[in-house]
Amino acid sequence: MDQIVIEGGRELSGEIPIAGAKNACLTLMPATLLTDQPLTLTNAPRLSDIRTMTELLRSLGAEVAALQDGQVLALSSHDLTSHHADYEIVRKMRASNLVLGPLLARFHRAEVSLPGGCAIGARPMDLHIEGLSALGAEIELRDGYLHAKAPGGLKGARFEMRFASVGATENIVMAATLAKGTTVLGNAAREPEIVDLVRCLRAMGAQIEGEGTGTITIEGVDALHGATHEVVTDRIELGTYMLAPAICGGEVECLGGRVELLESFCEKLDAAGVQVEQTPHGIKVARRNGRLSAVDVVTEPFPGFPTDLQAQMMALMCTADGVSVLEERIFENRFMHAPELARMGAQIEVHGGTARVTGVERLRGAPVMATDLRASVSLILAALGAEGETVVSRVYHLDRGYERVVRKLSAVGAKLSRVKDGGGDE
Ligand code: UD1
């Protein structure tokens, strides 16, 4: 298994291009199932999660071609052959469940495996099921699969979600585009990836209003058509790379970054003493004046502080001056990076959903293990600012959500390399 070896302690300077959003692309790809005409996605990220979704869509009979070095995805669901999303693929990635709504909408039936356990918490699908049932779907769980059908098609309805789930909002909105009549989704998630999905669906002929607010209204249409859509910037990759100069010192411009994708995160960086500036090309981040101050963080649905940046923020707080309290309110088991950071000398106490970090002057390199996607990149960030060498193992987690990490960070002066099984670099 590959490892990443990092020699810490270098200031960073230069530019890092930010890719299209993984989480947007993973919901835009299944939108192909809603139409028999071609859907083209540009600015797609090159990630293993995207390859997993490609594999899943192909297993349903869709055509998916990765063009221009993987940055353009040409999709077609002209001749689908199956409505069965198999456990062998779904278990690799929870976002596989995003085929449920589109399959139900277009074919009035779907069989989708439950994703199963996930390292960062239970992550059930009850909200997806309740929402689609409100649209008239009959869904039962048998043999680990959701068996869903909607004889005669889905029908628009009012549905209020108990919690603003991102995935459930996406599934319900996609399903409602082809339902008969009007759907009003209350307490909808407001994440930029949902706004991006709605923009794409609208380009495909859907009638939707209210994206980015808590109420989304969808007027069902008879059919959707083809479109070309540019995937929104990955705000989590953006926030991750903004933290690199904040941890190491120096100045880095994250190309394509926009502050409105990450307002609450940018406010926290500012409060900690990091300089954040919107430029015409992206976001410039600088840290020049010695040690940062500890800040407290509570993860919340958008526009709150994103749970997907909590681990990386913890890496920053490890060497800030004072005590930082990080409260995780979205996922119940999302501090697996804490004991790994402790191996590097961080002082962290975890009690339930709260982590208390007492900043130390400096972390020291150590062998550490990646446990999930965001945890893995938090270890890399911490290692970049640490004294000496860190070896991060199990980096396949990283490949799910970060393209060309070694190349992007090396270009701004970081010293790190990927070591293949039998030696040799990326
Ligand atoms: C998406 C993102 C993920 C991010 C998360 C929260 C994708 C592919 N993934 O995941 O990176 O961390 O949003 O911003 O876009 N829940 C239920 N019942 C449900 C659905 C969810 O109880 O039916 C709970 C989950 O267990 C979790 C919380 O709601 O505690 C948030 O989940 P949700 O917003 O659905 O996240 P995902 O769409 O899975």
Side-chain angles (χ1 to χ4, degrees), residues 283-303:
I283 300 180
K284 201 178 266 182
V285 179
R287 176 180 151 202
R288 296 195 188 85
N289 311 323
R291 216 165 156 196
L292 299 177
S293 312
V295 290
D296 295 341
V297 168
V298 178
T299 65
E300 284 170 332
F302 191 83

Side-chain angles (χ1 to χ4, degrees), residues 128-413:
H128 301 242
I129 297 169
E130 286 168 26
L132 295 170
S133 301
L135 299 185
E138 297 162 18
I139 305 179
E140 58 176 3
L141 175 64
R142 256 186 290 129
D143 318 320
Y145 281 80
L146 295 173
H147 295 258
K149 56 181 183 195
L154 296 170
K155 296 183 186 61
R158 274 183 176 271
F159 179 69
E160 181 82 16
M161 282 202 291
R162 277 178 283 114
F163 175 85
S165 153
V166 175
T169 300
E170 292 165 342
N171 249 331
I172 297 165
V173 167
M174 285 193 278
T177 57
L178 295 179
K180 283 194 195 75
T182 310
T183 298
V184 180
L185 181 61
N187 197 20
R190 295 187 276 166
E191 270 66 4
E193 293 75 25
I194 288 168
V195 173
D196 201 41
L197 170 66
V198 170
R199 285 199 183 129
C200 177
L201 293 171
R202 206 178 272 138
M204 294 167 72
Q207 294 196 9
I208 309 178
E209 280 174 17
E211 73 277 15
T213 75
T215 305
I216 302 181
T217 305
I218 307 111
E219 197 70 54
V221 295
D222 288 340
L224 297 183
H225 52 70
T228 295
H229 176 82
E230 183 182 342
V231 180
V232 68
T233 300
D234 195 317
R235 65 195 165 100
I236 306 301
E237 191 199 27
L238 171 65
T240 301
Y241 287 126
M242 286 172 69
L243 284 167
I247 287 175
C248 298
E251 183 177 292
V252 168
E253 188 167 11
C254 295
L255 302 177
R258 284 182 287 124
V259 168
E260 75 256 25
L261 293 171
L262 280 176
E263 298 265 13
S264 56
F265 172 78
C266 290
E267 280 164 21
K268 290 293 173 190
L269 286 194
D270 184 57
V274 180
Q275 292 168 35
V276 177
E277 184 199 342
Q278 179 75 60
T279 70
H281 309 292
I283 300 180
K284 201 178 266 182
V285 179
R287 176 180 151 202
R288 296 195 188 85
N289 311 323
R291 216 165 156 196
L292 299 177
S293 312
V295 290
D296 295 341
V297 168
V298 178
T299 65
E300 284 170 332
F302 191 83
F305 192 99
T307 174
D308 286 350
L309 283 171
Q310 177 260 108
Q312 302 89 311
M313 190 69 180
M314 188 184 285
L316 180 72
M317 288 297 105
C318 285
T319 53
D321 191 12
V323 173
S324 161
V325 176
L326 296 109
E327 195 182 330
E328 175 56 61
R329 289 208 189 147
I330 308 293
F331 293 113
E332 67 265 36
N333 185 22
R334 208 174 195 182
F335 287 130
M336 284 173 303
H337 40 285
E340 298 300 316
L341 291 169
R343 292 177 53 75
M344 301 172 73
Q347 286 192 17
I348 308 169
E349 291 165 53
V350 175
H351 296 289
T354 302
R356 193 183 147 88
V357 183
T358 306
V360 296
E361 283 277 342
R362 202 93 213 246
L363 297 180
R364 289 175 308 277
V368 290
M369 201 152 65
T371 51
D372 67 54
L373 169 56
R374 306 305 171 187
S376 59
V377 85
S378 79
L379 299 176
I380 290 181
L381 288 174
L384 291 173
E387 216 171 84
E389 185 183 277
T390 297
V391 179
V392 182
S393 54
R394 300 205 175 160
V395 294
Y396 55 84
H397 290 291
L398 196 71
D399 300 332
R400 291 190 43 209
Y402 291 91
E403 60 169 46
R404 305 177 180 188
V405 179
V406 170
R407 207 186 294 184
K408 287 188 183 188
L409 286 169
S410 301
V412 292

Side-chain angles (χ1 to χ4, degrees), residues 33-215:
L33 299 170
L34 291 164
T35 173
D36 61 359
Q37 295 184 18
L39 174 65
T40 304
L41 301 175
T42 62
N43 196 33
R46 279 95 30 119
L47 302 168
S48 66
D49 270 8
I50 300 300
R51 289 191 287 277
T52 303
M53 183 57 83
T54 298
E55 190 190 349
L56 176 61
L57 293 172
R58 284 183 180 152
S59 78
L60 303 173
E63 288 168 35
V64 185
L67 311 172
Q68 295 185 23
D69 195 22
Q71 284 183 300
V72 173
L73 297 173
L75 305 111
S76 165
S77 298
H78 191 270
D79 303 307
L80 288 194
T81 50
S82 165
H83 56 273
H84 172 90
D86 201 79
Y87 177 63
E88 283 311 311
I89 306 176
V90 176
R91 70 184 173 87
K92 292 189 204 166
M93 183 181 74
R94 178 179 163 84
S96 304
N97 64 21
L98 294 168
V99 300
L100 177 61
L103 283 175
L104 256 176
R106 181 146 158 235
F107 301 101
H108 306 167
R109 54 200 293 216
E111 257 172 48
V112 178
S113 169
L114 277 183
C118 167
I120 60 172
R123 305 181 88 178
M125 278 191 67
D126 51 337
L127 298 166
H128 301 242
I129 297 169
E130 286 168 26
L132 295 170
S133 301
L135 299 185
E138 297 162 18
I139 305 179
E140 58 176 3
L141 175 64
R142 256 186 290 129
D143 318 320
Y145 281 80
L146 295 173
H147 295 258
K149 56 181 183 195
L154 296 170
K155 296 183 186 61
R158 274 183 176 271
F159 179 69
E160 181 82 16
M161 282 202 291
R162 277 178 283 114
F163 175 85
S165 153
V166 175
T169 300
E170 292 165 342
N171 249 331
I172 297 165
V173 167
M174 285 193 278
T177 57
L178 295 179
K180 283 194 195 75
T182 310
T183 298
V184 180
L185 181 61
N187 197 20
R190 295 187 276 166
E191 270 66 4
E193 293 75 25
I194 288 168
V195 173
D196 201 41
L197 170 66
V198 170
R199 285 199 183 129
C200 177
L201 293 171
R202 206 178 272 138
M204 294 167 72
Q207 294 196 9
I208 309 178
E209 280 174 17
E211 73 277 15
T213 75
T215 305

